[in-house]
């Protein structure tokens, strides 16, 4: 375990801030494009952030890969999930074969899928599933810690190595998703600890629970936190005590994305909780992340605010599997197309002197206070 911890610390120390010079050049490029200042909103910011990640002003999103990490959670023994645990194995195989919601969306947009078994409580023999099982699921956090610190680190490195492989394969951007019955329970537990939030404020009904089962889920999370006493200042400790192998692997994927300087897209609730774990381990990681969609889970809002990120889309999605990532890839690709191909004022034969005053400040927004004053 000492060697794993030492290696991870080395990787974390290798993570450097985005390229500020490239970002400055990208901003100037955006200002030169034939449009009102900041009129393309977040699309402009995306291109600037991407420049910082890659070190290049002009980027293309050609090769896209969704990384899905699958694992089971012992806490399902407490009746916190409406779906049988056996579905984890079945859906892990179906995702790999492109038969699920995420699989269909990825096929539509030409996105590769890599599915890794990091802790499914069954032997999977399907050739399309990457077998990196750390253990046969986690233990029941209602009674004991989910896993050892050693297994947590092993799972983190599973995710790390998948991103490193993606980089070697020439992937331009990755998305991070999961499959694991019961993982909204573990995610809520982690989020509650890391943000000092009441369990009730971060816990939803997941795949669909009766009111009685939902009340039990909240009680289970509270009890799990109380008996395991995770240290909120040590993300490893939190993941190992009340988390899951899938969350650990996703955490490693985000760390690797920052270290390898490859943009990473967050999916929904479980995915963003893992992102928070990675950022708590190394704050710079946040600069390499993009939030895809506003998850239906109530804890998502608290988590995305803790990360100071803004999701691109609001589609009331709650499927998981990384299903929101392919949509975000297209948004990011569009941002690249704009900065790469849009005409500048000079190229469009437009004298932009009229923008000098406008560029000094926000001349487009109308405050509610001003509107009220004018009405009076």
């Amino acid at each position: 375990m000492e060697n794993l911890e030492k290696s991870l610390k080395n990787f974390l120390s290798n993570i450097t801030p985005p390229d500020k010079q490239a970002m400055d050049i990208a901003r100037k490029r955006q200002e030169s494009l034939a449009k009102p200042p900041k009129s393309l909103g977040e699309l402009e910011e995306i291109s600037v952030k991407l420049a910082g990640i890659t070190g290049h002003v002009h980027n293309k999103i050609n090769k896209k890969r969704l990384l899905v990490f699958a694992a089971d959670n012992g806490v399902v023994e407490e009746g916190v999930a409406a779906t049988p645990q056996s579905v984890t194995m079945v859906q892990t195989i179906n995702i790999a074969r492109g038969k699920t919601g995420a699989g269909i969306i990825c096929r539509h947009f030409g996105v590769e899928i890599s599915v890794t078994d990091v802790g499914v409580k069954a032997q999977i023999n399907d050739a399309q599933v990457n077998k990196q099982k750390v253990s046969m699921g986690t233990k029941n956090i209602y009674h004991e810690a989910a896993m050892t610190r050693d297994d947590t680190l092993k799972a983190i490195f599973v995710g790390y190595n998948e991103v490193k492989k993606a980089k070697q394969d020439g992937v331009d951007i990755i998305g991070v998703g999961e499959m694991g019955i019961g993982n909204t329970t573990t995610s809520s537990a982690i989020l509650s600890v890391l943000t000092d939030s009441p369990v009730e404020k971060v816990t939803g009904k997941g795949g669909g629970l009766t009111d009685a089962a939902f009340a039990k889920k909240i009680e289970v999370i509270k009890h799990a936190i109380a008996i395991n006493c995770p240290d909120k200042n040590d993300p490893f400790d939190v993941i190992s005590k009340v988390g899951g192998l899938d969350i650990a692997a996703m955490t490693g994927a985000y760390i690797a994305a920052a270290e390898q300087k490859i943009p990473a897209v967050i999916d929904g609730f479980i995915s963003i909780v893992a992102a928070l774990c990675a950022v708590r381990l190394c704050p710079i990681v946040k600069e390499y992340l993009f939030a895809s969609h506003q998850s239906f889970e109530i804890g998502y809002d608290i988590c995305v605010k803790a990360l100071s990120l803004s999701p691109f889309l609001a589609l009331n999605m709650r499927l998981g599997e990384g299903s929101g990532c392919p949509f975000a890839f297209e948004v990011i690709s569009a941002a690249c197309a704009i900065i790469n191909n849009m005409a500048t004022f000079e190229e469009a034969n437009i004298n932009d002197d009229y923008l000098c005053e406008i560029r000094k400040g926000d001349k487009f927004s109308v405050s509610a206070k001003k509107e009220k004053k004018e009405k009076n």
Side-chain angles (χ1 to χ4, degrees):
M1 184 176 75
E2 289 182 5
N3 289 335
L4 286 177
E5 290 217 34
K6 185 176 179 180
S7 296
L8 187 57
K9 286 179 181 177
N10 287 337
F11 291 137
L12 289 169
S13 67
N14 288 337
I15 297 173
T16 57
D19 188 326
K20 188 177 182 301
Q21 184 178 13
M23 293 175 75
D24 289 341
I25 295 172
R27 283 195 186 92
K28 289 179 181 177
R29 166 75 179 169
Q30 284 288 358
E31 290 172 2
S32 75
L33 299 179
K35 57 180 173 55
K38 301 187 184 302
S39 58
L40 283 172
E42 289 299 315
L43 291 172
E44 297 184 27
E45 294 305 314
I46 290 168
S47 66
V48 172
K49 185 171 182 175
L50 201 59
I53 293 172
T54 66
H56 305 290
V57 173
H58 299 286
N59 293 284
K60 289 185 178 180
I61 306 298
N62 292 322
K63 194 174 178 65
K64 303 159 284 188
R65 182 175 294 175
L66 174 63
L67 305 178
V68 180
F69 299 97
D72 274 307
N73 301 279
V75 72
V76 297
E77 296 170 359
E78 302 304 319
V80 296
T83 307
Q85 188 173 64
S86 59
V87 171
T88 299
M89 179 192 71
V90 175
Q91 284 297 78
T92 297
I93 295 170
N94 285 332
I95 295 169
R97 293 178 177 178
K99 292 184 176 181
T100 67
I104 297 302
I105 296 167
C106 282
R107 187 186 306 158
H108 177 73
F109 287 118
V111 176
E112 299 175 357
I113 300 183
S114 174
V115 180
T116 300
D117 169 12
V118 68
V120 179
K121 194 177 179 180
Q123 291 297 344
I124 296 177
N125 298 316
D126 192 282
Q128 295 181 72
V129 176
N130 180 23
K131 299 162 190 66
Q132 298 291 332
K133 197 189 297 289
V134 173
S135 68
M136 298 287 278
T138 56
K139 294 177 181 177
N140 186 347
I141 61 174
Y142 189 74
H143 298 294
E144 58 188 314
M147 54 190 147
T148 64
R149 195 175 177 92
D150 192 28
D151 280 353
T152 304
L153 285 163
K154 287 178 181 176
I156 285 173
F157 272 97
V158 169
Y160 178 91
N161 289 330
E162 282 302 300
V163 174
K164 199 168 181 181
K165 182 178 183 298
K167 181 73 173 183
Q168 293 168 350
D169 291 343
V171 172
D172 298 308
I173 193 168
I174 62 159
V176 180
E178 43 62 44
M179 181 62 227
I181 302 305
N183 59 11
T184 59
T185 297
T186 52
S187 297
S188 295
I190 290 173
L191 183 58
S192 176
V193 174
L194 291 182
T195 61
D196 283 323
S197 299
V199 172
E200 292 86 351
K201 296 291 185 181
V202 297
T203 307
K205 290 190 174 183
L209 291 172
T210 64
D211 290 344
F214 179 52
K216 177 68 181 296
K217 180 178 180 179
I218 291 174
E219 188 270 325
V220 166
I221 295 171
K222 287 181 176 179
H223 182 76
I225 293 171
I227 67 160
N228 288 300
C229 301
D231 180 359
K232 69 177 182 180
N233 297 311
D234 182 359
F236 293 131
D237 191 60
V238 179
I239 297 171
S240 66
K241 287 181 175 175
V242 296
L245 291 159
D246 50 354
I247 295 171
M250 289 189 286
T251 299
Y254 292 124
I255 290 169
E259 197 239 359
Q260 297 289 317
K261 296 191 177 299
I262 181 171
V265 174
I266 299 164
D267 181 33
F269 180 53
I270 296 95
S271 183
I272 203 167
V273 168
L276 181 62
C277 292
V279 171
R280 289 294 173 88
L281 286 167
C282 179
I284 301 173
V285 170
K286 190 196 85 169
E287 307 305 323
Y288 294 82
L289 307 179
F290 295 91
S292 61
H293 70 102
Q294 180 80 26
S295 172
F296 190 80
E297 281 285 316
I298 64 168
Y300 180 91
D301 285 344
I302 290 174
C303 201
V304 79
K305 286 174 183 174
L307 287 167
S308 299
L309 293 173
S310 298
F312 298 159
L313 305 166
L315 299 171
N316 283 333
M317 290 175 64
R318 54 187 180 275
L319 175 63
E321 303 177 7
S323 54
C325 297
F327 297 107
F329 293 161
E330 295 304 302
V331 174
I332 295 169
S333 182
C336 292
I338 288 163
I339 196 169
N340 292 344
N341 304 316
M342 191 172 177
T344 63
F345 283 103
E346 182 179 0
E347 291 166 343
N349 295 316
I350 298 173
N351 186 330
D352 66 341
D353 289 347
Y354 72 96
L355 291 174
C356 290
E357 186 63 28
I358 293 174
R359 284 174 175 150
K360 291 180 182 178
D362 183 0
K363 301 295 189 298
F364 300 97
S365 299
V366 180
S367 69
K369 186 176 180 181
K370 184 178 179 182
E371 286 182 325
K372 184 177 181 181
K373 185 177 179 181
E374 289 176 350
K375 287 180 181 178
N376 294 334

